[in-house]
Amino acid sequence: KAGVTQTPRYLIKTRGQQVTLSCSPISGHRSVSWYQQTPGQGLQFLFEYFSETQRNKGNFPGRFSGRQFSNSRSEMNVSTLELGDSALYLCASSLARRGGPHPRNEQFFGPGTRLTVL
Amino acid sequence: LAKTTQPISMDSYEGQEVNITCSHNNIATNDYITWYQQFPSQGPRFIIQGYKTKVTNEVASLFIPADRKSSTLSLPRVSLSDTAVYYCLVGPMNRDDKIIFGKGTRLHILP
């Protein structure tokens, strides 16, 4: 089974521009989460989508947004880029079971998109 | 969400058993403990998950004492390829709750 794929793998932008990153989850996974990773702040949760709806959100400004399509593929967008947005952006997918209680499902991470803002 | 505390870094040698302890004093009754491993420039990878006592899989063992206020990830006979950052996560069973990663433990295996 193919893993989580993210495109592009590397991206260079300049301040003020916007960027869209794409994530294709593992087939059958309906939950997609996005994380930002920087050396100083570590791995930080951005948001999670399930069935085309955002069901969790981290503490990031409104410049960071996302969406999920009916095939579970997800995109995240960052507008008005700042130097501090330079980071590795990771996408993770998981099965989402109904009912409970049960432990949070294992997340499968993609290789990430390395964004550099100049 | 329960706060976790783990050592920032650890060094060990090839062939040794490595134990990484995570403290989670305010763990709740319905919290599970999960460990992830991350290699440089890659996304984290699930290692093991448990609720109490001991869990073992082909990669590691997870020891959880009766009070559940800490947990220990045990890696048997490490190799250089085990050099990575290890994250301890504690979170509830509710599927709607977000996952929070801490700073992790940077494990460096020496030859």
Side-chain angles (χ1 to χ4, degrees), chain A residues 70-111:
Chain A
S70 58
N71 61 359
S72 294
R73 190 177 70 84
S74 177
E75 290 182 346
M76 68 161 282
N77 184 78
V78 187
S79 62
T80 319
L81 284 166
E82 300 177 0
L83 295 178
D85 296 333
S86 293
L88 180 67
Y89 289 88
L90 292 161
C91 162
S93 75
S94 67
L95 284 168
R97 291 179 286 181
R98 299 195 181 278
H102 52 71
R104 185 63 193 241
N105 281 318
E106 172 183 352
Q107 289 204 318
F108 294 83
F109 284 80

mmCIF file of all heavy atoms in Angstrom, chain A residues 70-111:
data_model
loop_
_atom_site.group_PDB
_atom_site.id
_atom_site.type_symbol
_atom_site.label_atom_id
_atom_site.label_comp_id
_atom_site.label_asym_id
_atom_site.label_seq_id
_atom_site.Cartn_x
_atom_site.Cartn_y
_atom_site.Cartn_z
ATOM 1 N N SER A 70 -13.098 15.446 -1.315
ATOM 2 C CA SER A 70 -13.932 14.259 -1.100
ATOM 3 C C SER A 70 -13.132 12.959 -1.189
ATOM 4 O O SER A 70 -13.531 11.931 -0.639
ATOM 5 C CB SER A 70 -15.092 14.236 -2.091
ATOM 6 O OG SER A 70 -14.598 14.249 -3.413
ATOM 7 N N ASN A 71 -11.994 12.993 -1.842
ATOM 8 C CA ASN A 71 -11.153 11.794 -1.936
ATOM 9 C C ASN A 71 -10.121 11.741 -0.808
ATOM 10 O O ASN A 71 -9.189 10.951 -0.847
ATOM 11 C CB ASN A 71 -10.447 11.734 -3.287
ATOM 12 C CG ASN A 71 -9.525 12.919 -3.522
ATOM 13 O OD1 ASN A 71 -9.423 13.817 -2.670
ATOM 14 N ND2 ASN A 71 -8.838 12.924 -4.651
ATOM 15 N N SER A 72 -10.305 12.599 0.183
ATOM 16 C CA SER A 72 -9.465 12.709 1.387
ATOM 17 C C SER A 72 -8.137 13.424 1.160
ATOM 18 O O SER A 72 -7.438 13.708 2.129
ATOM 19 C CB SER A 72 -9.200 11.344 2.041
ATOM 20 O OG SER A 72 -10.398 10.799 2.535
ATOM 21 N N ARG A 73 -7.802 13.732 -0.066
ATOM 22 C CA ARG A 73 -6.597 14.521 -0.303
ATOM 23 C C ARG A 73 -6.760 15.883 0.364
ATOM 24 O O ARG A 73 -7.877 16.408 0.484
ATOM 25 C CB ARG A 73 -6.355 14.691 -1.793
ATOM 26 C CG ARG A 73 -5.000 15.287 -2.159
ATOM 27 C CD ARG A 73 -4.823 15.345 -3.679
ATOM 28 N NE ARG A 73 -5.689 16.329 -4.297
ATOM 29 C CZ ARG A 73 -5.422 17.633 -4.401
ATOM 30 N NH1 ARG A 73 -4.276 18.110 -3.898
ATOM 31 N NH2 ARG A 73 -6.265 18.454 -5.002
ATOM 32 N N SER A 74 -5.650 16.429 0.817
ATOM 33 C CA SER A 74 -5.740 17.689 1.548
ATOM 34 C C SER A 74 -4.715 18.684 1.011
ATOM 35 O O SER A 74 -3.666 18.293 0.478
ATOM 36 C CB SER A 74 -5.508 17.448 3.042
ATOM 37 O OG SER A 74 -5.513 18.648 3.770
ATOM 38 N N GLU A 75 -5.025 19.928 1.145
ATOM 39 C CA GLU A 75 -4.105 21.015 0.819
ATOM 40 C C GLU A 75 -4.045 21.963 2.001
ATOM 41 O O GLU A 75 -5.025 22.134 2.714
ATOM 42 C CB GLU A 75 -4.578 21.779 -0.419
ATOM 43 C CG GLU A 75 -4.471 21.031 -1.722
ATOM 44 C CD GLU A 75 -4.918 21.876 -2.909
ATOM 45 O OE1 GLU A 75 -5.545 22.933 -2.710
ATOM 46 O OE2 GLU A 75 -4.649 21.443 -4.047
ATOM 47 N N MET A 76 -2.877 22.549 2.176
ATOM 48 C CA MET A 76 -2.789 23.648 3.128
ATOM 49 C C MET A 76 -2.208 24.848 2.403
ATOM 50 O O MET A 76 -1.408 24.713 1.468
ATOM 51 C CB MET A 76 -1.957 23.302 4.362
ATOM 52 C CG MET A 76 -0.484 23.112 4.154
ATOM 53 S SD MET A 76 0.428 23.249 5.714
ATOM 54 C CE MET A 76 0.470 25.018 5.935
ATOM 55 N N ASN A 77 -2.648 26.009 2.811
ATOM 56 C CA ASN A 77 -2.246 27.241 2.171
ATOM 57 C C ASN A 77 -1.687 28.201 3.222
ATOM 58 O O ASN A 77 -2.217 28.294 4.331
ATOM 59 C CB ASN A 77 -3.448 27.879 1.478
ATOM 60 C CG ASN A 77 -3.069 29.121 0.712
ATOM 61 O OD1 ASN A 77 -2.519 29.059 -0.375
ATOM 62 N ND2 ASN A 77 -3.361 30.281 1.278
ATOM 63 N N VAL A 78 -0.629 28.858 2.861
ATOM 64 C CA VAL A 78 -0.089 29.904 3.725
ATOM 65 C C VAL A 78 -0.025 31.173 2.887
ATOM 66 O O VAL A 78 0.611 31.200 1.830
ATOM 67 C CB VAL A 78 1.312 29.568 4.260
ATOM 68 C CG1 VAL A 78 1.739 30.612 5.291
ATOM 69 C CG2 VAL A 78 1.353 28.177 4.862
ATOM 70 N N SER A 79 -0.699 32.197 3.349
ATOM 71 C CA SER A 79 -0.707 33.461 2.611
ATOM 72 C C SER A 79 0.253 34.441 3.268
ATOM 73 O O SER A 79 0.631 34.277 4.438
ATOM 74 C CB SER A 79 -2.121 34.035 2.582
ATOM 75 O OG SER A 79 -2.552 34.308 3.913
ATOM 76 N N THR A 80 0.628 35.451 2.516
ATOM 77 C CA THR A 80 1.503 36.507 3.005
ATOM 78 C C THR A 80 2.675 35.921 3.812
ATOM 79 O O THR A 80 2.828 36.128 5.013
ATOM 80 C CB THR A 80 0.734 37.504 3.892
ATOM 81 O OG1 THR A 80 -0.549 37.762 3.328
ATOM 82 C CG2 THR A 80 1.496 38.824 3.986
ATOM 83 N N LEU A 81 3.478 35.164 3.129
ATOM 84 C CA LEU A 81 4.560 34.433 3.790
ATOM 85 C C LEU A 81 5.504 35.352 4.545
ATOM 86 O O LEU A 81 5.827 36.465 4.098
ATOM 87 C CB LEU A 81 5.347 33.634 2.758
ATOM 88 C CG LEU A 81 4.683 32.348 2.257
ATOM 89 C CD1 LEU A 81 5.391 31.833 1.017
ATOM 90 C CD2 LEU A 81 4.677 31.297 3.355
ATOM 91 N N GLU A 82 5.955 34.853 5.697
ATOM 92 C CA GLU A 82 6.940 35.549 6.518
ATOM 93 C C GLU A 82 8.186 34.660 6.621
ATOM 94 O O GLU A 82 8.115 33.443 6.418
ATOM 95 C CB GLU A 82 6.368 35.814 7.910
ATOM 96 C CG GLU A 82 5.113 36.654 7.896
ATOM 97 C CD GLU A 82 4.527 36.841 9.280
ATOM 98 O OE1 GLU A 82 5.108 36.303 10.265
ATOM 99 O OE2 GLU A 82 3.490 37.526 9.399
ATOM 100 N N LEU A 83 9.301 35.286 6.971
ATOM 101 C CA LEU A 83 10.546 34.531 7.088
ATOM 102 C C LEU A 83 10.392 33.379 8.075
ATOM 103 O O LEU A 83 10.930 32.286 7.874
ATOM 104 C CB LEU A 83 11.695 35.443 7.531
ATOM 105 C CG LEU A 83 12.097 36.541 6.568
ATOM 106 C CD1 LEU A 83 13.221 37.389 7.171
ATOM 107 C CD2 LEU A 83 12.537 35.968 5.225
ATOM 108 N N GLY A 84 9.645 33.617 9.133
ATOM 109 C CA GLY A 84 9.458 32.612 10.174
ATOM 110 C C GLY A 84 8.623 31.418 9.739
ATOM 111 O O GLY A 84 8.503 30.452 10.496
ATOM 112 N N ASP A 85 8.057 31.495 8.548
ATOM 113 C CA ASP A 85 7.272 30.350 8.050
ATOM 114 C C ASP A 85 8.161 29.282 7.436
ATOM 115 O O ASP A 85 7.684 28.208 7.063
ATOM 116 C CB ASP A 85 6.251 30.826 7.014
ATOM 117 C CG ASP A 85 5.217 31.765 7.596
ATOM 118 O OD1 ASP A 85 4.943 31.672 8.810
ATOM 119 O OD2 ASP A 85 4.686 32.606 6.839
ATOM 120 N N SER A 86 9.439 29.578 7.310
ATOM 121 C CA SER A 86 10.377 28.573 6.797
ATOM 122 C C SER A 86 10.389 27.375 7.741
ATOM 123 O O SER A 86 10.648 27.523 8.942
ATOM 124 C CB SER A 86 11.791 29.161 6.708
ATOM 125 O OG SER A 86 11.858 30.163 5.739
ATOM 126 N N ALA A 87 10.091 26.224 7.202
ATOM 127 C CA ALA A 87 9.943 25.042 8.065
ATOM 128 C C ALA A 87 9.728 23.809 7.209
ATOM 129 O O ALA A 87 9.560 23.901 5.989
ATOM 130 C CB ALA A 87 8.748 25.207 9.008
ATOM 131 N N LEU A 88 9.718 22.681 7.888
ATOM 132 C CA LEU A 88 9.303 21.422 7.267
ATOM 133 C C LEU A 88 7.817 21.237 7.594
ATOM 134 O O LEU A 88 7.439 21.239 8.771
ATOM 135 C CB LEU A 88 10.114 20.252 7.827
ATOM 136 C CG LEU A 88 9.789 18.857 7.278
ATOM 137 C CD1 LEU A 88 10.173 18.758 5.800
ATOM 138 C CD2 LEU A 88 10.517 17.774 8.083
ATOM 139 N N TYR A 89 6.999 21.104 6.578
ATOM 140 C CA TYR A 89 5.565 20.917 6.786
ATOM 141 C C TYR A 89 5.237 19.451 6.541
ATOM 142 O O TYR A 89 5.456 18.922 5.460
ATOM 143 C CB TYR A 89 4.767 21.840 5.865
ATOM 144 C CG TYR A 89 4.883 23.277 6.303
ATOM 145 C CD1 TYR A 89 5.929 24.080 5.844
ATOM 146 C CD2 TYR A 89 3.983 23.816 7.223
ATOM 147 C CE1 TYR A 89 6.066 25.386 6.293
ATOM 148 C CE2 TYR A 89 4.122 25.120 7.670
ATOM 149 C CZ TYR A 89 5.161 25.888 7.208
ATOM 150 O OH TYR A 89 5.301 27.180 7.661
ATOM 151 N N LEU A 90 4.704 18.850 7.581
ATOM 152 C CA LEU A 90 4.420 17.420 7.548
ATOM 153 C C LEU A 90 2.927 17.176 7.535
ATOM 154 O O LEU A 90 2.160 17.841 8.224
ATOM 155 C CB LEU A 90 5.039 16.735 8.769
ATOM 156 C CG LEU A 90 6.567 16.693 8.802
ATOM 157 C CD1 LEU A 90 7.051 16.435 10.222
ATOM 158 C CD2 LEU A 90 7.080 15.623 7.861
ATOM 159 N N CYS A 91 2.556 16.191 6.768
ATOM 160 C CA CYS A 91 1.174 15.751 6.690
ATOM 161 C C CYS A 91 1.117 14.325 7.239
ATOM 162 O O CYS A 91 2.046 13.541 7.031
ATOM 163 C CB CYS A 91 0.713 15.794 5.237
ATOM 164 S SG CYS A 91 -0.754 14.857 4.853
ATOM 165 N N ALA A 92 0.061 14.012 7.948
ATOM 166 C CA ALA A 92 -0.102 12.664 8.490
ATOM 167 C C ALA A 92 -1.531 12.213 8.263
ATOM 168 O O ALA A 92 -2.470 12.994 8.414
ATOM 169 C CB ALA A 92 0.227 12.638 9.977
ATOM 170 N N SER A 93 -1.693 10.955 7.930
ATOM 171 C CA SER A 93 -3.043 10.428 7.767
ATOM 172 C C SER A 93 -3.271 9.278 8.739
ATOM 173 O O SER A 93 -2.330 8.646 9.215
ATOM 174 C CB SER A 93 -3.281 9.962 6.327
ATOM 175 O OG SER A 93 -2.623 8.740 6.057
ATOM 176 N N SER A 94 -4.515 9.047 9.046
ATOM 177 C CA SER A 94 -4.856 7.932 9.934
ATOM 178 C C SER A 94 -6.269 7.456 9.635
ATOM 179 O O SER A 94 -7.088 8.191 9.086
ATOM 180 C CB SER A 94 -4.727 8.347 11.399
ATOM 181 O OG SER A 94 -5.690 9.309 11.743
ATOM 182 N N LEU A 95 -6.511 6.216 10.032
ATOM 183 C CA LEU A 95 -7.869 5.708 9.985
ATOM 184 C C LEU A 95 -8.659 6.422 11.067
ATOM 185 O O LEU A 95 -8.119 6.754 12.118
ATOM 186 C CB LEU A 95 -7.882 4.208 10.253
ATOM 187 C CG LEU A 95 -7.428 3.297 9.116
ATOM 188 C CD1 LEU A 95 -7.228 1.892 9.642
ATOM 189 C CD2 LEU A 95 -8.428 3.314 7.994
ATOM 190 N N ALA A 96 -9.907 6.655 10.824
ATOM 191 C CA ALA A 96 -10.743 7.288 11.835
ATOM 192 C C ALA A 96 -11.871 6.333 12.143
ATOM 193 O O ALA A 96 -12.749 6.117 11.334
ATOM 194 C CB ALA A 96 -11.275 8.616 11.337
ATOM 195 N N ARG A 97 -11.808 5.753 13.334
ATOM 196 C CA ARG A 97 -12.837 4.804 13.711
ATOM 197 C C ARG A 97 -13.982 5.538 14.391
ATOM 198 O O ARG A 97 -13.783 6.546 15.058
ATOM 199 C CB ARG A 97 -12.262 3.760 14.661
ATOM 200 C CG ARG A 97 -11.271 2.828 13.996
ATOM 201 C CD ARG A 97 -10.712 1.829 14.979
ATOM 202 N NE ARG A 97 -9.768 2.464 15.873
ATOM 203 C CZ ARG A 97 -9.128 1.800 16.823
ATOM 204 N NH1 ARG A 97 -9.379 0.523 17.022
ATOM 205 N NH2 ARG A 97 -8.273 2.419 17.606
ATOM 206 N N ARG A 98 -15.134 4.985 14.249
ATOM 207 C CA ARG A 98 -16.297 5.555 14.906
ATOM 208 C C ARG A 98 -16.539 4.819 16.215
ATOM 209 O O ARG A 98 -16.105 3.700 16.408
ATOM 210 C CB ARG A 98 -17.512 5.460 14.001
ATOM 211 C CG ARG A 98 -17.339 6.217 12.711
ATOM 212 C CD ARG A 98 -18.644 6.420 11.989
ATOM 213 N NE ARG A 98 -18.418 7.128 10.738
ATOM 214 C CZ ARG A 98 -18.281 8.442 10.649
ATOM 215 N NH1 ARG A 98 -18.337 9.164 11.718
ATOM 216 N NH2 ARG A 98 -18.094 9.017 9.484
ATOM 217 N N GLY A 99 -17.246 5.472 17.090
ATOM 218 C CA GLY A 99 -17.525 4.850 18.385
ATOM 219 C C GLY A 99 -16.337 4.954 19.300
ATOM 220 O O GLY A 99 -15.395 5.661 19.047
ATOM 221 N N GLY A 100 -16.339 4.310 20.386
ATOM 222 C CA GLY A 100 -15.240 4.372 21.333
ATOM 223 C C GLY A 100 -15.666 3.948 22.696
ATOM 224 O O GLY A 100 -16.775 3.469 22.877
ATOM 225 N N PRO A 101 -14.879 4.126 23.759
ATOM 226 C CA PRO A 101 -13.581 4.786 23.649
ATOM 227 C C PRO A 101 -12.525 3.876 23.055
ATOM 228 O O PRO A 101 -12.592 2.661 23.157
ATOM 229 C CB PRO A 101 -13.258 5.111 25.107
ATOM 230 C CG PRO A 101 -13.971 4.062 25.889
ATOM 231 C CD PRO A 101 -15.215 3.747 25.138
ATOM 232 N N HIS A 102 -11.519 4.456 22.455
ATOM 233 C CA HIS A 102 -10.414 3.717 21.886
ATOM 234 C C HIS A 102 -9.243 4.665 21.757
ATOM 235 O O HIS A 102 -9.424 5.873 21.720
ATOM 236 C CB HIS A 102 -10.806 3.139 20.527
ATOM 237 C CG HIS A 102 -11.371 4.155 19.584
ATOM 238 N ND1 HIS A 102 -10.617 5.135 18.988
ATOM 239 C CD2 HIS A 102 -12.630 4.362 19.149
ATOM 240 C CE1 HIS A 102 -11.394 5.883 18.217
ATOM 241 N NE2 HIS A 102 -12.619 5.434 18.293
ATOM 242 N N PRO A 103 -8.031 4.140 21.728
ATOM 243 C CA PRO A 103 -6.870 5.020 21.647
ATOM 244 C C PRO A 103 -6.806 5.718 20.306
ATOM 245 O O PRO A 103 -7.311 5.219 19.306
ATOM 246 C CB PRO A 103 -5.680 4.071 21.825
ATOM 247 C CG PRO A 103 -6.188 2.747 21.416
ATOM 248 C CD PRO A 103 -7.628 2.729 21.802
ATOM 249 N N ARG A 104 -6.190 6.864 20.335
ATOM 250 C CA ARG A 104 -6.014 7.626 19.117
ATOM 251 C C ARG A 104 -5.254 6.761 18.114
ATOM 252 O O ARG A 104 -4.262 6.150 18.429
ATOM 253 C CB ARG A 104 -5.219 8.906 19.419
ATOM 254 C CG ARG A 104 -5.069 9.851 18.267
ATOM 255 C CD ARG A 104 -6.392 10.375 17.818
ATOM 256 N NE ARG A 104 -6.292 11.033 16.543
ATOM 257 C CZ ARG A 104 -6.584 12.299 16.326
ATOM 258 N NH1 ARG A 104 -7.005 13.048 17.317
ATOM 259 N NH2 ARG A 104 -6.466 12.810 15.132
ATOM 260 N N ASN A 105 -5.736 6.740 16.887
ATOM 261 C CA ASN A 105 -5.134 5.895 15.880
ATOM 262 C C ASN A 105 -3.725 6.320 15.521
ATOM 263 O O ASN A 105 -3.392 7.499 15.547
ATOM 264 C CB ASN A 105 -5.985 5.893 14.623
ATOM 265 C CG ASN A 105 -7.178 4.992 14.743
ATOM 266 O OD1 ASN A 105 -7.079 3.893 15.258
ATOM 267 N ND2 ASN A 105 -8.315 5.465 14.288
ATOM 268 N N GLU A 106 -2.932 5.341 15.117
ATOM 269 C CA GLU A 106 -1.570 5.598 14.659
ATOM 270 C C GLU A 106 -1.608 6.551 13.476
ATOM 271 O O GLU A 106 -2.428 6.412 12.565
ATOM 272 C CB GLU A 106 -0.937 4.274 14.237
ATOM 273 C CG GLU A 106 0.409 4.386 13.572
ATOM 274 C CD GLU A 106 0.932 3.050 13.113
ATOM 275 O OE1 GLU A 106 0.321 2.021 13.451
ATOM 276 O OE2 GLU A 106 1.954 3.030 12.410
ATOM 277 N N GLN A 107 -0.723 7.524 13.504
ATOM 278 C CA GLN A 107 -0.607 8.451 12.395
ATOM 279 C C GLN A 107 0.552 8.032 11.499
ATOM 280 O O GLN A 107 1.624 7.678 11.985
ATOM 281 C CB GLN A 107 -0.380 9.870 12.915
ATOM 282 C CG GLN A 107 -1.604 10.462 13.576
ATOM 283 C CD GLN A 107 -1.574 11.971 13.559
ATOM 284 O OE1 GLN A 107 -0.552 12.568 13.805
ATOM 285 N NE2 GLN A 107 -2.698 12.591 13.268
ATOM 286 N N PHE A 108 0.337 8.114 10.207
ATOM 287 C CA PHE A 108 1.358 7.799 9.220
ATOM 288 C C PHE A 108 1.771 9.116 8.553
ATOM 289 O O PHE A 108 0.939 9.785 7.940
ATOM 290 C CB PHE A 108 0.821 6.820 8.180
ATOM 291 C CG PHE A 108 0.503 5.469 8.742
ATOM 292 C CD1 PHE A 108 -0.714 5.235 9.367
ATOM 293 C CD2 PHE A 108 1.417 4.434 8.652
ATOM 294 C CE1 PHE A 108 -1.013 3.980 9.894
ATOM 295 C CE2 PHE A 108 1.126 3.183 9.169
ATOM 296 C CZ PHE A 108 -0.086 2.956 9.794
ATOM 297 N N PHE A 109 3.035 9.442 8.701
ATOM 298 C CA PHE A 109 3.521 10.718 8.205
ATOM 299 C C PHE A 109 4.115 10.601 6.805
ATOM 300 O O PHE A 109 4.705 9.586 6.445
ATOM 301 C CB PHE A 109 4.596 11.275 9.139
ATOM 302 C CG PHE A 109 4.048 11.868 10.405
ATOM 303 C CD1 PHE A 109 3.676 11.062 11.462
ATOM 304 C CD2 PHE A 109 3.891 13.248 10.526
ATOM 305 C CE1 PHE A 109 3.161 11.601 12.637
ATOM 306 C CE2 PHE A 109 3.388 13.791 11.689
ATOM 307 C CZ PHE A 109 3.016 12.971 12.740
ATOM 308 N N GLY A 110 3.965 11.681 6.051
ATOM 309 C CA GLY A 110 4.631 11.788 4.771
ATOM 310 C C GLY A 110 6.044 12.310 4.951
ATOM 311 O O GLY A 110 6.463 12.595 6.078
ATOM 312 N N PRO A 111 6.778 12.456 3.846
ATOM 313 C CA PRO A 111 8.171 12.906 3.927
ATOM 314 C C PRO A 111 8.312 14.400 4.201
ATOM 315 O O PRO A 111 9.372 14.863 4.581
ATOM 316 C CB PRO A 111 8.730 12.559 2.550
ATOM 317 C CG PRO A 111 7.534 12.605 1.659
ATOM 318 C CD PRO A 111 6.389 12.113 2.473
#
